[in-house]
């Protein structure tokens, strides 16, 4: 077998080091985020069933509200990374500040919406009459932390664009620890009940936002970047984020439709679906970490006018994504017998979940390529194409998913439809990547 030239091997090793250096801390930060909800659930669960049910409703609403605005991180990463690649750090930080100001404005708007509508939202999401008062209390207090969480998203994007994923990891871990300690102290020590859990989370969230702001402000002062809000810059950040918002909403719609279809299949199937979906989401964290590395690295290469470097690192990351997907798929197959008993002792639920998990395992290499290419196109600032591609994927998925209860096949057929959804995404992303139209160089797209 002919060995690759030394220069090619050197380039690959350099790309591998870049990918690992950014992806590993990013994975840690991603995993730390859901631990907030887990810690709250563990602490509030001892207050009573009504309180735990209320937390389930409120946290679902809040998580959805924050996840809708994840474009604050994605769009900011790409924009900042381009300017870093162009060698203009003051402009990179200025771009990041525009994203942070947009986050604060959106956060204020969400507070204005949630505070008066909390009772209606709790009712809409099915809170019982005993859980509803607790849900409203938690919602109204926790809404005060939404601007902080949006600032965290935008500031995380700034640091990722600056090729720093370690600081977000440290802040996420510190935030998780602070949140857990504050919750225990306020819920039980101060006797505030579920309100104490909400206040503890809000304080932890604002603490995280303050740390991020301190880091960004220090960088702005070091490089002479303005901290004042700039209307034109904020509008530009909003325009860059709008297509990614469409993409995110389309993806959320797919997941909600899948859950609604599973609910029509019966209790055992919806229970099994929640187990499979939770595992699928966990696997997505590992793959999303590579995508985050892609956003930062691709943006930097394109900002530096290095088209060949961008293409080369894209190819290398796709290799990484597929390889990690294969490993994750094998782990799912091997761990199925031990994994399912952790969630249920019901044999009907296990029987429904087992074949679905096989499909999830087989789909992981596809998911790996999808996540990486998604990150590459985000890093290139190709948001409008990503929005259109996800709308096409939604149009393909909906009729197939809705036919599952009609044609039979149960949960296995539903997860086959989910795999078709990922294959559709792969086709649209691969076509765009192959076309080369995403390769637009310069400090701005």
């Amino acid at each position: 077998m002919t060995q690759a030239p030394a220069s090619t091997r050197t380039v690959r090793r350099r790309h591998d080091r870049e990918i690992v250096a950014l992806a590993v801390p990013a994975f840690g930060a991603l995993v730390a985020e859901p631990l907030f909800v887990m810690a709250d659930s563990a602490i509030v669960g001892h207050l009573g069933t009504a309180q735990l049910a209320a937390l389930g409703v409120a946290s679902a609403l809040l998580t959805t509200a924050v996840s809708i605005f994840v474009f604050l991180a994605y769009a900011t990463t790409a924009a900042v990374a381009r300017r870093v690649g162009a060698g203009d750090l003051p402009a990179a930080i200025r771009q990041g500040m525009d994203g942070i100001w947009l986050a604060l404005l959106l956060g204020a708007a969400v507070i204005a919406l949630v505070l008066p509508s909390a009772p209606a939202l709790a009712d809409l999401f099915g809170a019982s009459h005993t859980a509803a008062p607790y849900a409203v209390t938690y919602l109204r207090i926790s809404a005060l932390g939404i601007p902080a969480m949006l600032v965290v998203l935008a500031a995380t994007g700034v640091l990722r664009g600056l090729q720093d994923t370690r600081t977000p990891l440290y802040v996420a871990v510190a935030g998780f620890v602070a949140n857990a300690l504050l919750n225990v102290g306020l819920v039980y020590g101060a006797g505030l009940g579920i309100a104490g859990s909400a206040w503890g989370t809000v304080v932890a969230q604002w603490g995280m936002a303050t740390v991020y702001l301190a880091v960004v402000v220090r960088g702005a002062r070091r490089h002479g970047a303005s901290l004042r809000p700039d209307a034109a810059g904020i509008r530009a950040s909003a325009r860059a984020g709008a297509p990614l918002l469409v993409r995110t909403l389309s993806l959320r719609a797919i997941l909600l439709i899948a859950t609604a279809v599973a609910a029509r299949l019966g209790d055992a199937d919806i229970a099994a679906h929640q187990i499979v979906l939770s595992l699928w989401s966990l696997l997505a964290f590992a793959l999303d970490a590579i995508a985050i590395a892609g956003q930062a690295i691709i943006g930097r290469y394109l900002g530096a006018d290095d088209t060949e470097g961008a293409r080369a690192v894209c190819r290398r990351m796709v290799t990484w994504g597929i390889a990690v997907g294969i490993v994750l798929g094998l782990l799912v197959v091997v761990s199925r017998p031990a994994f399912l008993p952790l969630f249920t002792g019901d044999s009907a639920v296990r029987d429904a979940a087992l074949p679905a998990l096989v499909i999830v395992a087989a789909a992981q290499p596809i998911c790996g390529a999808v996540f990486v290419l998604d990150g590459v196109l985000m890093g290139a600032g190709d948001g409008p194409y990503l929005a259109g591609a996800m709308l096409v994927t939604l149009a393909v998925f909906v009729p197939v998913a809705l036919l599952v209860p009609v044609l039979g096949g149960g949960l296995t057929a539903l997860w086959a439809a989910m795999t078709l959804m990922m294959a559709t995404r792969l086709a649209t992303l691969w076509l765009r990547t192959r076309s080369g139209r995403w390769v637009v160089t310069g400090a701005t797209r």
Side-chain angles (χ1 to χ4, degrees):
M1 180 181 293
T2 303
Q3 284 191 326
S7 59
T8 302
R9 293 199 302 272
T10 300
V11 169
R12 286 177 179 171
R13 284 197 295 268
R14 187 178 76 244
H15 288 160
D16 290 344
R17 285 195 297 270
E18 283 185 310
I19 295 166
V20 170
L22 291 172
V24 171
F27 174 69
L30 289 170
V31 171
E33 290 173 9
L35 292 179
F36 269 82
V37 177
M38 289 179 63
D40 288 358
S41 299
I43 294 167
V44 171
H46 293 285
L47 292 173
T49 301
Q51 289 90 333
L52 185 58
L55 178 64
V57 171
S59 63
L61 280 164
L62 293 166
T63 300
T64 300
V66 173
S67 66
I68 285 173
F69 298 112
V70 73
F71 70 84
L72 289 166
Y74 294 158
T76 304
T77 297
V80 171
R82 274 185 175 270
R83 294 188 181 275
V84 168
D88 192 350
L89 283 177
I93 296 174
R94 173 67 261 175
Q95 186 87 44
M97 284 304 305
D98 292 334
I100 290 173
W101 281 112
L102 175 62
L104 287 169
L105 291 174
L106 291 172
V110 173
I111 287 179
L113 176 66
V114 171
L115 289 182
S117 62
L121 290 171
D123 183 63
L124 179 66
F125 271 64
S128 67
H129 70 280
T130 54
Y134 297 115
V136 170
T137 297
Y138 193 93
L139 270 175
R140 283 179 167 160
I141 296 172
S142 294
L144 302 178
I146 288 178
M149 288 309 296
L150 299 190
V151 167
V152 167
L153 285 175
T156 298
V158 176
L159 295 179
R160 288 173 181 170
L162 294 171
Q163 317 296 296
D164 176 10
T165 56
R166 289 183 178 273
T167 300
L169 171 61
Y170 300 148
V171 175
V173 172
F176 166 70
V177 173
N179 177 65
L181 294 175
L182 285 166
N183 270 253
V184 171
L186 294 175
V187 171
Y188 298 110
L192 296 180
I194 195 170
S197 176
W199 280 117
T201 301
V202 167
V203 172
Q205 288 167 341
W206 276 107
M208 293 169 66
T210 300
V211 173
Y212 273 117
L213 288 173
V215 172
V216 175
V217 168
R218 186 169 64 245
R221 288 175 175 168
R222 183 186 307 124
H223 296 288
S226 173
L227 296 172
R228 289 178 296 180
D230 175 64
I234 294 172
R235 285 196 299 271
S237 294
R239 283 195 299 272
L244 296 180
L245 175 60
V246 173
R247 168 199 168 277
T248 300
L249 290 174
S250 300
L251 181 57
R252 297 292 301 185
I254 287 170
L255 297 177
L256 287 173
I257 290 168
T259 299
V261 169
R264 294 179 62 187
L265 298 175
D267 290 346
D269 285 294
I270 184 60
H273 175 72
Q274 289 304 115
I275 294 171
V276 176
L277 185 62
S278 67
L279 177 62
W280 190 79
S281 300
L282 178 62
L283 299 174
F285 284 133
L287 299 173
D288 201 27
I290 305 174
I292 288 169
Q295 294 170 31
I297 296 171
I298 291 295
R300 194 186 77 233
Y301 273 102
L302 293 177
D305 295 326
D306 187 352
T307 59
E308 184 51 42
R311 292 177 187 275
V313 78
C314 172
R315 290 191 295 269
R316 193 60 179 166
M317 280 187 291
V318 169
T319 301
W320 269 86
I322 294 172
V324 172
I326 291 172
V327 171
L328 292 176
L330 291 173
L331 287 174
V332 170
V333 171
V334 171
S335 65
R336 281 184 310 152
F339 173 76
L340 285 173
L342 296 176
F343 288 86
T344 181
D346 190 325
S347 60
V349 175
R350 288 202 301 269
D351 290 343
L354 277 170
L357 285 174
V358 173
I359 293 177
V360 168
Q364 287 311 297
I366 297 175
C367 295
V370 167
F371 274 76
V372 167
L373 293 176
D374 203 43
V376 166
L377 295 184
M378 282 186 192
D382 207 7
Y385 182 83
L386 288 171
M390 190 59 79
L391 288 172
V392 169
T393 302
L394 177 62
V396 171
F397 173 76
V398 170
V400 175
L402 294 180
L403 281 173
V404 168
V406 178
L407 299 179
L411 192 66
T412 303
L414 177 60
W415 275 93
M418 289 287 285
T419 301
L420 173 64
M421 178 270 293
M422 294 302 293
T424 304
R425 290 185 68 188
L426 178 59
T428 58
L429 296 174
W430 178 78
L431 287 172
R432 183 64 166 183
T433 307
R434 188 184 180 192
S435 74
R437 293 175 184 171
W438 60 279
V439 184
V440 179
T441 59
T444 58
R445 184 178 172 89

